[in-house]
Amino acid sequence: MFKVLPLEIQRIIASHLMFTEYQTLRLSSKYIQLQIPASLTWESYHISTQCFTYPNQIQIYFKPLWNSINPQRLEYLYNDHQFDSILKFLKSNLLDIPLIIMNELLLRSCIDGKSDLLEIILKRSDIDPSIPDDYNRRRKSNQHISLSLAEYLSVDRLPDDCNEPICYATLNGHVECVRLLLGDSRLKKKNLSDTIWCASASGHEECLKVLLGCDLINPQGDFNENYGLFMSVEKSKPECLKILLSDSRLDPSIEDNYLVRLASEKGDWQCLEILLQDSRVDPGVDSNISICVAAEKGYTKCLELLLKDGRVDPSTGTNYPIRSATYNRHVECVRLLMDDPRVNPTIFNNSLLTFAKESGIDQLYQIFVSRVQVDDDIDPIITYSSPL
């Protein structure tokens, strides 16, 4: 026996339903219990008029009208993690869903790593796997996508056709999604190398290996900008740097050995160690800027690595490394430099000793006293010279 609910009750129920394939809601004969969060409006739903009567309760079946659903409302679906319902519906209604909704599903599946959902979406012939992201720039649901790709990767802007779906999949480390997109012949080839620096910046090693193994991708970039190498050092991803350097197409000495300087400036001794092991790298270029920067900023581990490299001269710039380490009160750096016979700690009439004494840092002063001969008859204030 069938029973139709009053229209006003149907409206109340529909306004409290989440976006899903089918939802069953049981109602008491005396009152309504709604345990599903409110989200969409009555106009988005069709409520079946066939309501099966049970003792003291009614069971109703609801089916959404996909064509009337605004793409922004998919937020509720993903927040409620109803992926199984979406998969089931796509398999039986793939061609009936509006393209704008499919594009949103494509982007979200790449962001959330839903490879099974992505695989079904890509079966539609009118899907473009390289669509730009029109929605995610205002989304705040994930730390990696709360900013645009350009903002996250610290670049001015991204190309208009930068293959954002695969970039998002790479940025979030979803290997299977990356494989599916790379295997789609519709994927635009232009700017596909952007995925290399997305993987390098986010530190997703498996994604990086898959991308380097793809013949469609030039790891140097479309204009040989080598962003992958730069981003691996900039974001301190030594394992990604190691993977990149295993590819013979990439040269770590680019931009006059800038990577060594960058690693030294950031104090990233792990990346620096990997770079120094490559024979193509010369850490002594540009007047030994790398060791100067490491000493000035007090990066002990980096300084130690550079001092072990025979191509680096710690006496460069009139012993600038030990002068800058002393004036910046980097005790351990001073100790390391004093142990190197090429360094002259008595430069400028023992001005470094004078500064160490006047600084009030006993450890620093004792290092100089133990290695520099001090003449008690000399007034240290008179022999003091200005820093650097």
Side-chain angles (χ1 to χ4, degrees):
M1 181 177 180
F2 301 109
K3 180 179 180 180
V4 179
L5 289 178
L7 181 60
E8 60 271 16
I9 296 181
Q10 293 185 32
R11 289 179 181 274
I12 293 174
I13 296 170
S15 66
H16 287 74
L17 277 177
M18 289 296 292
F19 178 71
T20 183
E21 181 194 357
Y22 286 99
Q23 284 256 13
T24 300
L25 188 64
R26 293 192 175 184
L27 309 176
S28 166
S29 59
K30 295 182 179 180
Y31 58 91
I32 300 175
Q33 284 185 323
L34 296 174
Q35 297 180 345
I36 304 175
S39 61
L40 304 184
T41 61
W42 153 255
E43 287 75 15
S44 298
Y45 290 91
H46 164 71
I47 299 182
S48 172
T49 57
Q50 295 183 342
C51 304
F52 302 91
T53 304
Y54 292 89
N56 298 323
Q57 65 179 15
I58 300 173
Q59 184 168 333
I60 311 170
Y61 293 89
F62 302 90
K63 184 176 181 178
L65 297 179
W66 282 78
N67 291 327
S68 66
I69 296 176
N70 189 296
Q72 283 84 344
R73 290 174 177 170
L74 288 173
E75 292 289 344
Y76 297 110
L77 168 70
Y78 272 79
N79 291 339
D80 204 40
H81 305 291
Q82 299 185 44
F83 301 110
D84 291 339
S85 296
I86 286 294
L87 278 173
K88 188 176 179 181
F89 189 89
L90 285 179
K91 289 177 181 179
S92 57
N93 301 275
L94 184 62
L95 300 179
D96 299 329
I97 305 173
L99 182 59
I100 189 172
I101 295 180
M102 292 298 293
N103 286 339
E104 175 73 0
L105 287 173
L106 169 65
L107 288 166
R108 292 305 302 263
S109 61
C110 292
I111 292 166
D112 297 328
K114 302 300 177 182
S115 56
D116 47 356
L117 179 59
L118 178 61
E119 187 175 8
I120 295 176
I121 294 171
L122 291 175
K123 290 180 180 179
R124 263 188 56 160
S125 58
D126 57 346
I127 283 291
D128 179 5
S130 303
I131 57 171
D133 180 359
D134 296 328
Y135 310 114
N136 288 330
R137 298 195 187 284
R138 60 176 177 270
R139 185 174 283 115
K140 303 292 183 180
S141 59
N142 182 291
Q143 62 175 341
H144 289 313
I145 61 172
S146 59
L147 302 174
S148 69
L149 278 174
E151 291 170 319
Y152 177 76
L153 296 171
S154 303
V155 295
D156 293 334
R157 65 182 296 273
L158 290 172
D160 294 332
D161 50 355
C162 71
N163 286 291
E164 290 197 27
I166 193 171
C167 283
Y168 278 124
T170 303
L171 200 61
N172 288 281
H174 303 313
V175 183
E176 290 306 316
C177 290
V178 172
R179 287 197 178 100
L180 285 171
L181 291 167
L182 287 176
D184 195 301
S185 59
R186 296 167 295 180
L187 189 68
K188 293 179 182 177
K189 309 302 184 292
K190 186 178 180 181
N191 295 319
L192 197 55
S193 58
D194 293 335
T195 54
I196 294 292
W197 51 285
C198 285
S200 302
S202 54
H204 294 301
E205 302 154 27
E206 292 304 315
C207 284
L208 187 56
K209 292 176 182 178
V210 171
L211 294 168
L212 288 174
C214 179
D215 295 334
L216 302 174
I217 300 177
N218 176 11
Q220 294 177 308
D222 295 333
F223 303 100
N224 295 322
E225 60 270 29
N226 289 279
Y227 276 139
L229 286 172
F230 285 118
M231 294 305 292
S232 62
V233 178
E234 174 66 30
K235 299 292 185 178
S236 299
K237 307 295 181 183
E239 292 304 317
C240 288
L241 177 62
K242 190 180 299 183
I243 293 170
L244 288 169
L245 291 180
S246 66
D247 192 304
S248 59
R249 294 171 291 179
L250 293 170
D251 182 6
S253 66
I254 53 174
E255 299 291 335
D256 198 19
N257 289 271
Y258 176 73
L259 294 178
V260 176
R261 174 179 177 176
L262 179 60
S264 301
E265 287 179 343
K266 295 179 64 64
D268 190 342
W269 66 268
Q270 291 177 304
C271 286
L272 180 60
E273 186 175 32
I274 293 170
L275 290 167
L276 292 177
Q277 291 172 355
D278 195 299
S279 59
R280 295 170 290 180
V281 170
D282 183 5
V285 298
D286 197 11
S287 302
N288 292 273
I289 185 65
S290 296
I291 193 170
C292 292
V293 170
E296 182 177 349
K297 295 194 173 185
Y299 296 136
T300 308
K301 189 67 176 180
C302 289
L303 181 60
E304 188 176 2
L305 290 170
L306 291 167
L307 285 172
K308 291 179 181 179
D309 195 301
R311 297 167 291 181
V312 176
D313 180 11
S315 65
T316 185
T318 321
N319 286 271
Y320 180 87
I322 193 169
R323 287 190 291 128
S324 62
T326 302
Y327 294 133
N328 285 290
R329 298 168 172 80
H330 300 314
V331 177
E332 292 305 317
C333 288
V334 171
R335 195 189 311 275
L336 285 172
L337 289 164
M338 292 282 269
D339 289 338
D340 194 298
R342 295 169 291 178
V343 174
N344 178 17
T346 64
I347 190 171
F348 299 143
N349 297 325
N350 279 319
S351 63
L352 299 181
L353 170 65
T354 303
F355 178 85
K357 182 176 181 180
E358 295 295 318
S359 68
I361 303 176
D362 187 63
Q363 280 183 309
L364 187 62
Y365 180 63
Q366 291 303 322
I367 293 174
F368 279 96
V369 169
S370 62
R371 290 168 171 79
V372 178
Q373 184 176 358
V374 182
D375 189 348
D376 295 334
D377 295 333
I378 297 179
D379 186 350
I381 297 179
I382 295 176
T383 59
Y384 176 77
S385 61
S386 61
L388 306 182

